[in-house]
């Protein structure tokens, strides 16, 4: 079906929380009810009700994210005169990329992060994250009752508020508040058993940070555990994941043959992968390094994998 063509004046009338539209690169989206769920905070959405959000969107996201997230059901129409006259390459590499170091100068995973930090704008850097989708599994988080204190986000929000002449928001920073809204602090191990019974699919519990919780997961019928400290920023003073895995290996080694054990957090070299496998992990997971490598596209991801495998030989 052909898209509905709209004018800027028509879009500008939809500025209320119960009827909110924004346009991004010429596409008009119905974002009613989305602001409070936005991981980057409410303000950046509400400030653009009825307006063009292309510049701020392109500074953080790729061109296909909105369609992938909202789908066609939230696509209201198009404002043709605002559609960008950009080729695909310029869309895939928005203004946030200044000048990346040559890919052949990247010799380890920390180099990818350093390259990203030098090229991303401040909003993109403090909001960096990688998303994953678990299909046919239910992934629960037992160690978080609320999102951790994200100080980089808080400093950035203070800077923005100061620039607008606004007082500092004394509440938890917006990204942490948005993340906390998705966390149920009342989940118990008994409920994990109930969830398993109702869903009838394998249950993996992510965020295991002690041998005792690993045992609880097994006793609750979980098929696997995911040893993780949520990037070291989910829970203050949490120990490195490898130490937790070593603790499980010492206190309840039988679990390593009775359930699947995955681990992430601080894995940056092939030798880190070896350590985790030697301590009993069945799989080792990485997130942020791939996020940074994607700044170089597919070639960057291939280069990252080559670095990891060469260090593991």
């Amino acid at each position: 079906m052909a898209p509905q063509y709209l004018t800027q004046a028509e879009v500008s009338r939809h500025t209320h929380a119960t009827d909110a539209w924004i346009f991004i690169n010429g596409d008009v989206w119905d974002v009613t009810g989305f602001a409070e769920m936005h991981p980057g905070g409410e303000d950046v959405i509400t400030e653009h009700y009825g307006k063009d959000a292309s510049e701020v969107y392109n500074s953080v996201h790729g061109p296909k994210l909105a369609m992938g997230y909202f789908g066609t059901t939230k696509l209201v129409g198009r404002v043709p005169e605002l559609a960008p006259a950009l080729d695909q390459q310029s869309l895939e590499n928005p203004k946030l990329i200044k000048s990346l170091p040559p890919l052949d100068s990247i010799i380890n995973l920390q180099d990818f992060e350093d390259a990203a930090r030098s090229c991303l704008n401040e909003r993109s850097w403090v909001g960096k994250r990688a998303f994953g989708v678990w299909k046919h599994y239910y992934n629960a988080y037992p160690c978080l009752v609320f999102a951790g204190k994200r100080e980089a986000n808080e400093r950035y929000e203070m800077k923005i508020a100061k620039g607008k002449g606004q007082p500092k928001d004394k509440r938890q920073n917006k990204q942490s508040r948005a993340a906390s809204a998705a966390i149920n602090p009342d989940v118990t191990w008994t409920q994990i058993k109930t969830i398993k019974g109702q869903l009838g699919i394998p249950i993996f519990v992510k965020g295991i940070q002690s041998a005792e919780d690993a045992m609880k997961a097994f006793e609750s019928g979980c098929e696997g555990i995911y040893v993780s400290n949520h990037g070291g920023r989910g829970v203050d003073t949490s120990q490195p994941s490898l130490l937790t895995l070593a603790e499980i290996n010492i206190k309840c080694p039988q679990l390593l043959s009775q359930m699947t054990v995955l681990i992430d957090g601080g894995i940056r070299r092939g030798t880190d992968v070896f350590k985790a496998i030697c301590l009993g992990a069945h799989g080792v997971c990485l997130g942020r390094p791939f996020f940074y490598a994607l700044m170089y596209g597919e070639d960057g991801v291939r280069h990252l994998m080559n670095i990891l495998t060469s260090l593991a030989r």
Side-chain angles (χ1 to χ4, degrees):
M1 185 172 64
Q4 177 184 359
Y5 291 116
L6 304 166
T7 65
Q8 294 186 55
E10 288 176 299
V11 177
S12 67
R13 290 196 287 267
H14 298 266
T15 59
H16 194 271
T18 59
D19 178 27
W21 292 2
I22 62 174
F23 40 93
I24 300 170
N25 298 325
D27 291 329
V28 180
W29 298 95
D30 183 345
V31 294
T32 305
F34 173 65
E36 61 188 24
M37 299 185 294
H38 182 233
E42 299 179 29
D43 290 355
V44 70
I45 303 298
T46 58
E47 288 173 0
H48 289 89
Y49 283 169
K51 300 177 183 177
D52 186 358
S54 301
E55 182 175 357
V56 66
Y57 173 90
N58 290 331
S59 74
V60 180
H61 302 303
K64 301 175 183 178
L65 180 67
M67 179 61 76
Y69 184 88
F70 291 119
T72 56
T73 58
K74 293 292 185 179
L75 181 61
V76 180
R78 288 180 63 78
V79 180
E81 63 268 28
L82 295 178
L86 300 173
D87 58 27
Q88 187 62 26
Q89 183 176 1
S90 61
L91 276 174
E92 296 291 351
N93 297 277
K95 293 179 181 178
L96 64 90
I97 307 297
K98 297 177 182 176
S99 57
L100 286 169
L103 184 57
D104 59 11
S105 71
I106 304 295
I107 62 174
N108 58 41
L109 272 60
Q110 183 61 45
D111 286 348
F112 276 115
E113 182 167 344
D114 292 342
R117 185 159 201 157
S118 69
C119 295
L120 292 172
N121 62 27
E122 188 175 6
R123 176 191 288 273
S124 300
W125 178 252
V126 300
K128 63 188 183 299
R129 63 182 63 84
F131 293 99
V133 177
W134 287 58
K135 294 184 178 179
H136 310 303
Y137 292 87
Y138 182 85
N139 201 15
Y141 299 80
C143 63
L144 291 177
V145 294
F146 54 83
K149 179 179 173 66
R150 300 191 175 198
E151 295 180 357
N153 296 86
E154 188 169 341
R155 290 192 182 96
Y156 178 71
E157 290 174 10
M158 289 170 60
K159 179 179 178 180
I160 296 300
K162 184 177 180 180
K164 295 179 179 179
Q166 299 172 347
K168 178 183 180 297
D169 190 339
K170 296 182 180 180
R171 299 174 296 173
Q172 189 182 32
N173 69 75
K174 295 182 180 69
Q175 189 170 28
S176 292
R177 292 205 305 270
S180 294
I183 297 173
N184 181 357
D186 298 321
V187 173
T188 65
W189 289 108
T190 300
Q191 288 172 308
I192 295 294
K193 292 181 181 179
T194 302
I195 291 170
K196 177 177 172 59
Q198 291 179 344
L199 294 181
I201 59 176
I203 303 293
F204 279 65
V205 176
K206 181 177 182 180
I208 296 296
Q209 294 187 29
S210 70
E212 289 76 14
D213 273 346
M215 280 299 302
K216 286 283 189 181
F218 177 73
E219 292 166 357
S220 299
C222 295
E223 278 75 13
I225 56 173
Y226 195 146
V227 180
S228 175
N229 62 7
H230 302 293
R233 63 182 184 180
V235 180
D236 288 344
T237 70
S238 57
Q239 68 179 6
S241 298
L242 277 174
L243 286 183
T244 302
L245 184 59
E247 180 186 331
I248 294 170
N249 187 290
I250 293 169
K251 293 184 177 181
C252 44
Q254 71 279 9
L255 294 185
L256 301 174
S257 61
Q258 294 174 324
M259 62 195 315
T260 300
V261 178
L262 305 177
I263 183 173
D264 75 4
I267 305 296
R268 294 296 182 269
R269 293 182 177 273
T271 48
D272 295 331
V273 176
F274 262 132
K275 293 171 188 175
I277 292 174
C278 289
L279 287 170
H282 300 98
V284 179
C285 307
L286 292 84
R288 274 180 280 182
F290 284 97
F291 176 89
Y292 303 134
L294 277 170
M295 296 182 68
Y296 290 91
E298 183 178 340
D299 289 342
V301 175
R302 291 184 182 278
H303 189 55
L304 183 151
M305 290 301 300
N306 287 336
I307 290 173
L308 275 179
T309 54
S310 67
L311 290 172
R313 292 192 184 107

